[in-house]
Amino acid sequence: MRALTYQGKRDVRVETVPDPRIQHSTDIIVKITSTGICGSDLHLYEVLGPYLDPGDILGHEPMGVVEEVGPEVTAVAPGDRVVIPFNVSCGHCHMCGQGLHSQCETTQVHEYGTGASLFGYTKLYGQVPGGQAEYLRVPFGNALPIKVPHGPSDDRFVYLSDVLPTAWQAVEYADIPPGGSVTVLGLGPIGAMAARIALHRGAGLVIGVDLVPERLDRVSGYGATCLDLRRYDKGKELGDAVRDLTDGRGTDAVIDAVGMEAHGAPVARAAHAAVGLLPDKVGRRLMETAGIDRLTALHTAIDLVRRGGTISISGVYGGSADPMPLLTLFDKQIQLRMGQANVKRWVDDLLPLLVDGDPLGVDSFATHHLPLEEGPKAYETFQKKADGMIKTLLVP
């Protein structure tokens, strides 16, 4: 089959690799019909190379049609249409029973002390072959796949793999009071969808912050008040603008949908670049003991949230030695919630919004549909924020 593989920093290629096969009695094989490129894939493209091997298959936002099932699979059958969550979760352990599928005890990666394995996402999360490919082996065939109806285009359902549950959890964790206010930092796919979901769920004021004009235009078109970061040379000026919109307090909540790829922070950016040039063993050791992130977005969130408010972090951070302004967090009585999305936890909330109409605008959410063979160019374009690319679906 053809699959998009990691080869080195800013080097991904579509290659011919062996087809996946049934390995366990509850496995299924899915023929992929659409697969997304996620903002967190850029962390692999740029920063997390020490945890990847050349040839690793990337991608964790796939859907398709069941091609083959193991002998103990009864929940789906060949021909069924399914979306595959990015968490590799068993569905029956203690953590899955708590709705914490991203902490699945069956697939936790004990070597690195991390949570549930993820499709297509480094040794830190199990080094499981990903879904930017023609076929995908999916374990836990009776519990993991999300069965969806035939009929609507893939665009209607594919975001159940990551974008929709990640954005839904970001809003849930933000704990916005009815009619309250939230600032969304970063209007890429997750931030843009979080803004739509916050408005759908009754937020009175949604402020979106980004520096890419196309992103600002998309989110303002859904009713958010957007602030162009390029107009604010200093963080305090942005804080003042948000406080001017909220009676001087700041918003009830802030969603950080940026994470480690934040604009600015030149020292941390240089550190990220340097790690990418080191031998993998040395780079891993440095990241695990002294790694730092570009914390511009998080520090901005702390400034923008009102006293007693909540910061919800959906942007990925990977530093082990990040300095945190604990005095300010304590003084402002800020609540922090964060973590990988627990995809299966939110399916029952989301699926009705996809079957009965399209209130979140998923049918037109993708800005680009490209053949899988054009994946390497799409990664480059997405990393450069060029060609108005915000969300890309690859079609094998």
Side-chain angles (χ1 to χ4, degrees):
M1 71 172 182
R2 301 288 282 171
L4 190 142
T5 64
Y6 175 86
Q7 298 298 329
K9 183 173 181 177
R10 299 183 190 172
D11 183 4
V12 296
R13 306 174 196 172
V14 177
E15 298 186 320
T16 299
V17 302
D19 290 350
R21 59 182 180 82
I22 298 288
Q23 298 179 20
H24 304 287
S25 59
T26 56
D27 287 351
I28 67 173
I29 303 297
V30 177
K31 179 178 175 60
I32 302 302
T33 55
S34 291
T35 181
I37 299 177
C38 179
S40 60
D41 287 330
L42 296 183
H43 305 327
L44 312 183
Y45 193 65
E46 284 280 343
V47 179
L48 295 178
Y51 295 98
L52 290 157
D53 291 330
D56 282 354
I57 301 172
L58 305 185
H60 58 269
E61 297 186 353
M63 72 170 292
V65 176
V66 177
E67 182 90 355
E68 182 182 357
V69 302
E72 293 187 28
V73 174
T74 58
V76 296
D80 284 344
R81 193 183 192 195
V82 293
V83 178
I84 307 304
F86 74 91
N87 317 121
V88 184
S89 57
C90 71
H92 58 73
C93 70
H94 175 77
M95 287 296 178
C96 287
Q98 301 296 310
L100 295 170
H101 300 85
S102 67
Q103 310 301 324
C104 174
E105 291 178 325
T106 305
T107 72
Q108 285 176 13
V109 185
H110 297 293
E111 179 182 357
Y112 291 101
T114 51
S117 296
L118 309 177
F119 286 103
Y121 215 79
T122 80
K123 297 172 185 176
L124 285 171
Y125 290 100
Q127 207 168 22
V128 181
Q132 290 171 0
E134 292 183 305
Y135 294 92
L136 177 68
R137 182 183 74 88
V138 179
F140 311 115
N142 288 319
L144 186 56
I146 303 167
K147 190 174 176 179
V148 297
H150 290 277
S153 72
D154 281 5
D155 293 59
R156 178 65 62 92
F157 300 112
V158 68
Y159 305 114
L160 280 172
S161 60
D162 182 350
V163 173
L164 282 168
T166 297
W168 190 273
Q169 180 172 296
V171 174
E172 184 76 16
Y173 282 9
D175 195 26
I176 308 161
S181 58
V182 61
T183 299
V184 181
L185 298 176
L187 302 179
I190 302 303
M193 185 57 72
R196 296 183 186 193
I197 290 170
L199 289 164
H200 172 77
R201 293 179 58 171
L205 173 66
V206 175
I207 301 172
V209 179
D210 207 294
L211 46 69
V212 180
E214 294 88 350
R215 296 181 176 190
L216 293 162
D217 290 343
R218 266 168 63 103
V219 174
S220 64
Y222 260 80
T225 299
C226 286
L227 301 178
D228 188 338
L229 191 60
R230 296 171 300 175
R231 295 181 54 192
Y232 304 97
D233 294 331
K234 299 177 181 178
K236 185 177 184 301
E237 294 177 358
L238 177 63
D240 288 343
V242 170
R243 285 183 282 274
D244 285 345
L245 294 168
T246 54
D247 297 323
R249 297 187 186 93
T251 47
D252 297 310
V254 175
I255 294 172
D256 173 3
V258 178
M260 70 169 75
E261 295 288 342
H263 178 71
V267 173
R269 181 174 186 175
H272 283 182
V275 167
L277 299 175
L278 295 170
D280 284 355
K281 185 175 182 179
V282 178
R284 287 197 298 269
R285 178 67 64 93
L286 183 62
M287 291 179 72
E288 290 165 16
T289 58
I292 60 172
D293 287 311
R294 295 155 70 179
L295 295 175
T296 305
L298 183 55
H299 285 274
T300 300
I302 293 168
D303 179 46
L304 301 185
V305 71
R306 66 161 169 81
R307 291 178 178 273
T310 302
I311 296 174
S312 170
I313 303 173
S314 60
V316 175
Y317 288 97
S320 60
D322 289 333
M324 290 289 288
L326 289 175
L327 186 152
T328 302
L329 289 166
F330 183 86
D331 177 66
K332 291 187 71 173
Q333 203 168 331
I334 292 170
Q335 301 176 77
L336 289 173
R337 296 200 70 182
M338 66 193 81
Q340 299 279 8
N342 305 296
V343 174
K344 294 283 286 189
R345 165 67 179 82
W346 309 113
V347 170
D348 289 346
D349 295 296
L350 288 162
L351 200 51
L353 301 179
L354 307 177
V355 175
D356 300 326
D358 184 23
L360 300 178
V362 295
D363 283 344
S364 58
F365 192 67
T367 56
H368 293 69
H369 295 79
L370 297 170
L372 178 66
E373 297 292 332
E374 295 184 26
K377 180 63 176 177
Y379 266 75
E380 180 184 359
T381 302
F382 190 30
Q383 192 271 337
K384 293 178 178 177
K385 298 181 174 66
D387 193 34
M389 182 177 284
I390 299 173
K391 188 62 184 178
T392 295
L393 296 179
L394 300 177
V395 181

